[in-house]
Amino acid sequence: MTTFRLSLLSLAMLTAGATASAQQPDSEPATTETNIEVIQVRGFAQSLFRSLDTKRFSDVVSETISADDLGALPDVSIADALTRLPGISAVRTGGQAAEINIRGMSGGFVFSTLNGREQVSTSGKRNIEFDQYPSELINSAAVYKSPKASLIEGGVAGTVELQTASVLSNQQQHSVTANLRGMFNDRANEVPDGEEMGHRFSLSYQGKYLDDTLGVALGYARLYQPSVATQFIGLAYNASRDLNNDSSPEYISEGFEIQHLGGEETRNGYLGSLEWQPHDAFSLKGDVFISKFDKEAFARGFRVIFDGATASVSNPVYNGSSVIGGNIGRTRNGFTRVEIVNDDNRDYDEVHSYGVKADWDINDRVNLVFDVSHSRASSDFRNGLLWSLVAEDATVANPVLDTNVSINYLLNGLNLPAVGLSQADAFSDVNRLMVSKYGIYPFVNSDEVNAARLDLSFNLELPLVRSLEMGVRYSARRYSNDRSVFEYGSDGAFLTSQPPLRLTNDMVKVVDFKGDFSAYPSYLAIDLDKALSAWFPQGVPQPVQSWGAGNPDVINGDPNSNVNTPWSVLESGRVYEDVLASYIMVNLDTELFGLPLTGNVGVRRVTTDQSATNLSDVGGDPLRGAQNIADQAGLINTRYAFDIVGEKYTKHLPSLNLNLALTDEWQLRFASAKVMSRAPINRLASVTSFNISDTGEITGNSSNSPFLRPFEANQYDVSLEYYFGSGALAFALFYKDIQSFIQDDVLPEFDFKAAGFPVPDFIIPDIESGVPVATRNGSLFTAVNNSNGGYIRGAEIAWTQVFKDLPGVFSGLGAQLSYSYTESEVSLINSLGGEPFETTFEGLSKNVVNATLFWEYEGIDTRINARYRSPFVSSQVGINEQITNFDSELVLDFQFGYQFNDNLKMLFQVNNLTDEPTRSYFGQQAMTGTLQYFGRQYFLGAVYSF
């Protein structure tokens, strides 16, 4: 049985056409009168109705956003647009949405495609960075919350499908859209050298040729925006000691940072599409999408390093057994210090996506689709640092480090802490401050996937089965990660072999904190180029991937060198992933108790072969395969054996989607499926390494492995949807029964020597002093496949309505409101706050609310959007990535537009209307994590189309 249903928009357009015909003066008088509800929709309301139509007639549980033309979506990136959908929230990076969370699950569980093709990421993870996708080049986006067998596997939380233009489906023969907006950030004046102004520009063309058999789409979008923030970052509680001599451990933070962040972000996006349809039964379409996103940023301020293992601690203030305040002093053999930070980071990212699809109706019943695609991403991130320490007198020939360091502080929960520093006056004194260390740490990765898929569908028109679909897909994914390093000097001492740099007045300027941070000490901002030219008059050495000339296992090194950087080689490598997937799916069209029932049932079979390059530590034993392995500098290490390790596994993923039309307005859905998400591609690298700090503490990392299995879950969805003339109401319940997941774990006081790590009993951190330091066991960071499982469950309600019955000027009012509740019994253990504490899954907010109020009347188009999410767990970046608890946040955005005529529209926008900061903490709010303030962004511009 086949049921034909008119959508709301189709009905509205049909009615408008009938009304227009009835008003023709030569028309015949109507013999019958039909009362059909007329819905006038335009602008934002029009896109909402189109999205509701797509949701209503979809065969899976889904949400969509759409636009009439390229450049019509107002958001900075597609991430901002997606966060207006029910159950979807975002993690802000630099104040803007970048990572998407769906139903309480983080971006790592979100699979994304562009025009149905798998997309790779510049981050080294599975989830794409949505801020690299300009909204001006995306026509629509769908979020599939329940899968079907024909969808590419990988989205436990959901699958995001981005779509670019399909030119031949346009009503217009030719269309051009130009978009220009200026941008202003109101906190940029608090950041010295911070840029206040930016801009957005886009230009797109769509046209049909050769009797509408050839379609061409071209698009370009540019974004230039300042990136500014002022921040406090508390660091992890990774040191423990017995402060009160009562044999119970007490935990001390690494320290904290107070900094200005500034810089600029430039994104250039390009789109090209060529579509050829010589006759109704065959079409051929090729797509090109390219995004280049360059970020240049600086971080200036100071970093306080407690070095709690050796520091003196007096008058401690506790939260439980963790120290959140007190006086920290430097001991004779300690390294407690304050570093003046002048970091320079550059990140050059590129995303390329290419695809060709042929769609052929072989006959009236058989359709064949063949698609080949290539997606690649690359990232060249260069973390450069320039750190300074206080000297007793920087003007003398042999300056001495000022070791009279005293730090008074008291954390203040989710507010800025009280800080007193004994050396504060010296931070802005060119005769006291000296540059002690320069380092640059490039992190270059590339990720690409080549794929081909063949899909066949057979129109059967049987009493129960409408059609049968089957297909096969093969993909080959290759990921590489390359680390390199150059370091000079020390972050904790003045070296005579690599002496500190004396600063001059032409290299520096005094910087004051302003606004909420005005109580903190001033400091010297250093001109990086001038400082490096003075420090390295023969030219600054470039970073290299190297064992280090002082590595004891290098046979052609320098015995007098203290450079030992094996991590740059060990953390570099390649990952190989080959996937063969096939599916069969039956599309249903029948009746249940006399009610129309549609849907699908199928199974997807997925075989994954994953492997990675590996350097095994065999202690230099040739019988165990030890080889001579050269680095980029020509240094030869004899300790390791090279091989490629991994495994192969097969998963079967059944799925069921049923849609029951209770009435013309009410619809009941049920979905059930087994789903999987593979480990982030960078986590499949084979890396096991250890490090010994200057204080002798050994820490290790084995959190990456090509043997990690995917996250698996069985999920169930039920939704009840009501569609009425001016909107819709939907209520949904979901349940995910988690079978296994990847869990990071920390093993404190791990016995590295017993586990086979070649660690020495003593080290000499300072060759010049020759003082040995005994090594001691620290933590091993690792990952396991946890099979304990648990559930994630929740409910969603969404309401959309245009209040067309209101009189006159109020008839253009409308609202969109959604609420999601999510809970889980799965808990993870985090020890970054000192005592181990339980956290939820990354990305899980119990409550997510999205509300939009809009008004459209006689050319005016205005709306305000509020996005609220309750506390959740995510990562912040301090010295290293840290998993912390983030406080709830409410982000408000406002937009006003005026349509002067059919071609020209003016737009005014304010993002982050209330200047909502990001706040995080370690388990309890008393242990402050991040306090970051971004400012408001103002946009003013126009859209012209013809």
Side-chain angles (χ1 to χ4, degrees):
M1 180 189 71
T2 301
T3 303
F4 178 75
R5 295 173 291 185
L6 283 175
S7 71
L8 293 173
L9 281 178
S10 299
L11 182 59
M13 290 186 289
L14 178 64
T15 305
T19 304
S21 298
Q23 293 173 347
Q24 294 298 323
D26 297 332
S27 61
E28 294 291 330
T31 57
T32 58
E33 182 177 338
T34 304
N35 294 322
I36 301 178
E37 184 178 31
V38 178
I39 306 166
Q40 293 184 345
V41 285
R42 59 178 67 88
F44 183 67
Q46 186 179 38
S47 68
L48 287 181
F49 278 116
R50 185 181 294 106
S51 299
L52 289 176
D53 284 341
T54 305
K55 175 183 176 70
R56 182 178 186 179
F57 300 123
S58 174
D59 57 353
V60 298
V61 179
S62 66
E63 311 288 346
T64 64
I65 53 176
S66 64
D68 288 330
D69 299 297
L70 288 174
L73 289 173
D75 306 281
V76 173
S77 76
I78 199 64
D80 296 294
L82 288 169
T83 57
R84 292 196 296 268
L85 297 175
I88 298 177
S89 54
V91 177
R92 294 189 294 166
T93 300
Q96 295 186 19
E99 177 185 305
I100 297 298
N101 298 165
I102 300 178
R103 287 181 164 177
M105 303 190 75
S106 65
F109 303 107
V110 177
F111 186 76
S112 301
T113 62
L114 178 65
N115 296 323
R117 301 167 184 130
E118 180 180 3
Q119 296 295 287
V120 293
S121 172
T122 59
S123 66
K125 300 179 181 180
R126 298 282 178 182
N127 49 301
I128 66 174
E129 295 179 303
F130 285 94
D131 58 354
Q132 293 180 333
Y133 291 77
S135 63
E136 297 94 334
L137 301 183
I138 303 297
N139 269 48
S140 65
V143 178
Y144 300 118
K145 296 178 177 178
S146 70
K148 57 182 178 179
S150 58
L151 286 177
I152 304 174
E153 73 286 343
V156 168
T159 296
V160 177
E161 162 66 355
L162 306 179
Q163 288 283 350
T164 57
S166 179
V167 184
L168 294 183
S169 63
N170 284 355
Q171 293 183 357
Q172 292 178 279
Q173 198 71 21
H174 301 277
S175 64
V176 176
T177 301
N179 186 335
L180 177 63
R181 302 177 206 183
M183 179 248 182
F184 169 75
N185 186 294
D186 67 355
R187 269 192 181 264
N189 62 354
E190 296 183 5
V191 178
D193 299 326
E195 293 286 340
E196 292 183 330
M197 306 300 295
H199 63 263
R200 290 174 62 190
F201 171 73
S202 68
L203 181 65
S204 60
Y205 166 75
Q206 298 182 75
K208 295 186 286 188
Y209 300 88
L210 303 179
D211 296 326
D212 295 347
T213 63
L214 182 67
V216 177
L218 298 171
Y220 168 70
R222 174 179 173 83
L223 168 70
Y224 171 81
Q225 65 180 7
S227 174
V228 296
T230 310
Q231 67 181 19
F232 170 89
I233 294 184
L235 304 178
Y237 289 72
N238 59 3
S240 62
R241 56 189 286 183
D242 181 7
L243 295 178
N244 291 326
N245 298 315
D246 60 0
S247 72
S248 60
E250 288 156 340
Y251 299 93
I252 304 173
S253 165
E254 280 185 73
F256 57 83
E257 302 174 349
I258 299 178
Q259 296 177 346
H260 288 122
L261 303 183
E264 58 192 41
E265 299 177 351
T266 305
R267 183 187 65 202
N268 289 289
Y270 309 86
L271 170 71
S273 175
L274 187 64
E275 191 172 359
W276 180 49
Q277 189 171 357
H279 54 80
D280 292 341
F282 179 81
S283 67
L284 184 68
K285 184 181 180 183
D287 297 290
V288 175
F289 176 87
I290 299 171
S291 177
K292 299 182 178 181
F293 204 169
D294 297 339
K295 303 176 185 179
E296 298 187 0
F298 61 79
R300 298 173 181 166
F302 54 88
R303 176 184 295 120
V304 175
I305 300 297
F306 291 156
D307 192 47
T310 62
S312 65
V313 181
S314 59
N315 301 316
V317 179
Y318 295 102
N319 180 73
S321 58
S322 296
V323 177
I324 61 169
N327 180 272
I328 309 293
R330 178 168 176 145
T331 59
R332 180 175 181 180
N333 295 320
F335 291 90
T336 303
R337 61 194 182 275
V338 181
E339 303 164 352
I340 302 303
V341 173
N342 282 265
D343 291 354
D344 180 30
N345 299 324
R346 300 183 180 185
D347 192 3
Y348 303 123
D349 295 342
E350 288 192 19
V351 174
H352 293 247
S353 181
Y354 308 91
V356 177
K357 182 173 74 172
D359 191 324
W360 179 27
D361 289 328
I362 298 175
N363 55 44
D364 291 342
R365 291 185 174 274
V366 182
N367 173 262
L368 180 148
V369 177
F370 180 68
D371 187 283
V372 293
S373 62
H374 169 79
S375 174
R376 74 172 184 268
S378 61
S379 174
D380 184 353
F381 175 67
R382 299 171 70 87
N383 172 217
L385 58 87
L386 193 73
W387 294 347
S388 305
L389 298 173
V390 175
E392 292 180 359
D393 186 350
T395 64
V396 300
N398 297 304
V400 176
L401 184 71
D402 181 5
T403 58
N404 184 22
V405 179
S406 178
I407 303 156
N408 285 284
Y409 81 105
L410 180 63
L411 298 184
N412 190 22
L414 299 182
N415 298 301
L416 292 171
V419 174
L421 305 171
S422 62
Q423 297 176 327
D425 292 340
F427 298 161
S428 55
D429 187 349
V430 73
N431 294 320
R432 295 283 307 278
L433 199 68
M434 302 192 74
V435 179
S436 65
K437 182 173 183 176
Y438 170 69
I440 185 166
Y441 306 88
F443 193 130
V444 179
N445 66 59
S446 66
D447 193 0
E448 69 174 50
V449 60
N450 294 301
R453 63 181 296 175
L454 178 68
D455 297 274
L456 279 167
S457 63
F458 303 88
N459 188 9
L460 302 177
E461 295 185 358
L462 297 176
L464 177 63
V465 177
R466 182 179 73 249
S467 62
L468 173 69
E469 295 182 40
M470 61 180 62
V472 62
R473 178 180 182 270
Y474 172 77
S475 66
R477 188 165 183 172
R478 303 292 181 260
Y479 170 78
S480 67
N481 173 38
D482 292 290
R483 302 299 311 271
S484 52
V485 58
F486 170 72
E487 293 179 319
Y488 187 87
S490 170
D491 57 351
F494 291 161
L495 304 180
T496 55
S497 60
Q498 298 175 342
L501 170 70
R502 182 185 174 187
L503 296 167
T504 56
N505 288 322
D506 64 319
M507 298 180 188
V508 302
K509 64 179 179 181
V510 177
V511 171
D512 301 320
F513 282 100
K514 299 179 180 179
D516 299 320
F517 287 72
S518 59
Y520 298 124
S522 302
Y523 64 91
L524 292 180
I526 301 172
D527 186 306
L528 181 68
D529 293 333
K530 290 182 179 180
L532 293 182
S533 296
W535 218 7
F536 305 99
Q538 304 303 317
V540 182
Q542 294 303 301
V544 66
Q545 187 179 114
S546 176
W547 301 107
N551 188 294
D553 301 304
V554 169
I555 59 176
N556 58 341
D558 180 359
N560 296 317
S561 172
N562 64 346
V563 179
N564 187 9
T565 55
W567 60 265
S568 68
V569 180
L570 297 174
E571 293 183 13
S572 302
R574 306 291 182 268
V575 175
Y576 311 94
E577 182 182 85
D578 296 299
V579 178
L580 179 62
S582 58
Y583 75 92
I584 184 169
M585 184 175 72
V586 173
N587 293 307
L588 308 173
D589 193 346
T590 185
E591 290 186 350
L592 180 65
F593 305 120
L595 301 176
L597 177 68
T598 59
N600 56 71
V601 59
V603 63
R604 189 173 185 89
R605 183 180 188 272
V606 183
T607 298
T608 304
D609 188 352
Q610 62 191 36
S611 58
T613 56
N614 177 64
L615 288 175
S616 300
D617 190 341
V618 295
D621 186 353
L623 298 178
R624 297 172 59 194
Q627 304 166 22
N628 291 348
I629 300 176
D631 63 18
Q632 293 179 349
L635 299 173
I636 298 174
N637 192 309
T638 61
R639 187 176 193 89
Y640 299 90
F642 175 83
D643 57 354
I644 296 177
V645 296
E647 66 173 353
K648 185 176 182 179
Y649 58 86
T650 298
K651 300 292 182 181
H652 292 86
L653 307 174
S655 60
L656 171 69
N657 289 276
L658 297 176
N659 310 314
L660 184 65
L662 302 176
T663 67
D664 289 342
E665 294 82 19
W666 288 91
Q667 183 166 266
L668 179 66
R669 295 182 187 270
F670 173 77
S672 174
K674 183 174 182 178
V675 290
M676 60 173 273
S677 288
R678 298 181 181 88
I681 193 72
N682 60 353
R683 296 291 298 272
L684 295 180
S686 182
V687 179
T688 300
S689 60
F690 69 93
N691 179 67
I692 305 176
S693 70
D694 290 344
T695 63
E697 183 181 30
I698 308 167
T699 56
N701 192 315
S702 63
S703 57
N704 297 338
S705 169
F707 298 100
L708 289 174
R709 289 296 188 98
F711 183 108
E712 297 181 61
N714 296 317
Q715 67 176 41
Y716 309 90
D717 293 85
V718 177
S719 66
L720 181 63
E721 301 163 3
Y722 173 54
Y723 297 89
F724 49 94
S726 57
L729 178 66
F731 178 75
L733 298 172
F734 61 90
Y735 185 93
K736 297 180 186 291
D737 179 17
I738 299 167
Q739 304 298 303
S740 67
F741 59 92
I742 298 170
Q743 178 179 344
D744 291 315
D745 199 5
V746 181
L747 305 179
E749 297 184 5
F750 182 78
D751 193 335
F752 286 86
K753 182 169 290 188
F757 285 82
V759 295
D761 295 325
F762 294 90
I763 62 167
I764 301 178
D766 186 351
I767 293 178
E768 296 172 0
S769 68
V771 177
V773 175
T775 60
R776 65 185 190 282
N777 289 322
S779 298
L780 175 69
F781 297 85
T782 186
V784 295
N785 279 105
N786 190 319
S787 59
N788 292 332
Y791 65 75
I792 295 178
R793 64 189 180 191
E796 295 173 351
I797 186 169
W799 167 64
T800 301
Q801 186 166 1
V802 178
F803 300 107
K804 61 184 182 60
D805 294 328
L806 295 177
V809 68
F810 299 104
S811 62
L813 279 173
Q816 185 181 36
L817 176 66
S818 67
Y819 168 71
S820 300
Y821 175 82
T822 308
E823 64 179 19
S824 175
E825 68 175 350
V826 177
S827 63
L828 306 177
I829 302 299
N830 191 328
S831 61
L832 294 181
E835 290 181 289
F837 58 92
E838 290 188 353
T839 69
T840 60
F841 265 145
E842 276 194 67
L844 194 150
S845 289
K846 281 194 172 183
N847 301 288
V848 174
V849 179
N850 199 315
T852 301
L853 179 66
F854 60 92
W855 179 55
E856 298 174 351
Y857 183 75
E858 294 187 352
I860 295 174
D861 178 359
T862 185
R863 65 180 180 268
I864 186 167
N865 173 256
R867 304 191 304 271
Y868 169 82
R869 67 181 304 182
S870 58
F872 62 101
V873 173
S874 190
S875 61
Q876 71 172 30
V877 177
I879 296 177
N880 299 301
E881 187 175 43
Q882 302 176 150
I883 302 299
T884 57
N885 298 76
F886 279 72
D887 192 36
S888 60
E889 60 182 25
L890 174 63
V891 180
L892 298 178
D893 298 330
F894 171 76
Q895 177 178 319
F896 175 85
Y898 183 74
Q899 190 82 40
F900 289 96
N901 51 47
D902 290 340
N903 305 112
L904 179 63
K905 182 176 183 178
M906 181 272 290
L907 286 171
F908 172 70
Q909 292 173 258
V910 185
N911 291 344
N912 195 20
L913 189 63
T914 59
D915 193 13
E916 180 78 350
T918 291
R919 297 182 174 96
S920 72
Y921 49 92
F922 294 102
Q924 299 182 38
Q925 292 185 357
M927 293 181 286
T928 316
T930 296
L931 303 173
Q932 192 173 52
Y933 298 79
F934 310 104
R936 301 171 186 85
Q937 288 183 318
Y938 297 84
F939 293 89
L940 178 64
V943 179
Y944 186 79
S945 59
F946 59 91

